[in-house]
Amino acid sequence: MAEVAEHSGVSSSTVSHVLNGTRYVSDPVRERVEQAVAELGYRRNSAARTLAGGRSHTIGLAISGLTNPYFGPLLHAIEQHVSAAGYVLVLGDTHDEPGMERRVIESLLDRAVDGIIIAPSHGFISHGAGLINAAGTPTVVIDRSVDARHDELTPENSVSTEELTAHLIAHGHRRIAAVAGLPGLASSTERLSGYRRALEHAGIAPDEALIVPGDSNAEAGERVVLDLLAGARPPTALVSLNNAMTIGALRAVRRAGLRVPDDLALVAYDDFEWSDLFEPGLTAVAQNVSRLGTEAVDVLFDRIAGDDRPVERRIIPTELRIRNSCGCADAPL
């Protein structure tokens, strides 16, 4: 920085103001400093800045299943909001595996991130939470509730799935199968409880043989749906409880030579950006992913700034989007 100051004929503090945007600097002076930076190949030392100012201006994001279509828009919303605040996002994929999640958390803490946003695995409390709590790093939990000592922002899961299942019941379906998500995740439990509640309210005894483990991935979803369709009494309708499993379910229906909704009505929790391009269009619960991501970042920045209010759990509303895969012939494509 001293070399940049000497090269441009200004003080080191002026160079700092130009680089960090902390004070007004006239355009001619700013241009001289930026030219000196370019000519000298100067790069700010992030580690030194952290030691000097106590901030790394980085946010860690630990999530699983980056191949899941749900996480693309969520990642985009978080990164855009973090970047707009002058921070850099450091990303780690936990693969929904507690050991990998612990390694990701350790790596983020080693990088002295100013805060962490995490979509926790089923083993977060026993494997990763203690590391974060001991470090005292501000943390926000998203997507899945874990009853931790941190703020949580999750989509509404249970009522949404109850409404989704009730819609199939209103179409006259009684043998409604459910493809359940990874065991141990609050989102899986909440969505399955909504499915069960809809059946019970309609006087339909849940058939445990129709509740199959899709493990929150497309491959397992395809396998268990194929088994359902090959059974002696296949379901007439199917509720898929996350969009990775929905992809697997659609593959299974195609492999079985069946058509939606003529042979099998299909609805899903988690909408796709391109769901209305399916033929037929997919009836699905849509999460407000952009709101979830931006509010999580806002809460985290409040904590980084020293906000010590009690932790909260914030539920983000969802929307049921009716299309044609449920059997609504007059729904928009």
Side-chain angles (χ1 to χ4, degrees), residues 111-133:
R111 285 166 171 75
V113 295
D114 293 331
I116 294 174
I117 297 173
I118 183 167
S121 76
H122 63 280
F124 174 69
I125 294 296
S126 58
H127 287 76
L131 292 173
I132 292 175
N133 295 339

Side-chain angles (χ1 to χ4, degrees), residues 99-147:
M100 177 61 74
E101 180 179 69
R102 182 183 178 89
R103 289 192 289 275
V104 168
I105 292 171
E106 288 174 337
S107 178
L108 294 175
L109 294 176
D110 287 345
R111 285 166 171 75
V113 295
D114 293 331
I116 294 174
I117 297 173
I118 183 167
S121 76
H122 63 280
F124 174 69
I125 294 296
S126 58
H127 287 76
L131 292 173
I132 292 175
N133 295 339
T137 302
T139 299
V140 172
V141 172
I142 60 170
D143 189 54
R144 304 154 175 176
S145 176
V146 291
D147 193 26

Side-chain angles (χ1 to χ4, degrees), residues 261-285:
D262 300 341
D263 303 306
L264 179 76
L266 189 151
V267 298
Y269 189 105
D270 279 347
D271 201 16
F272 299 89
E273 184 179 358
W274 27 268
S275 288
D276 56 347
L277 300 179
F278 286 156
E279 179 56 47
L282 181 66
T283 292
V285 169

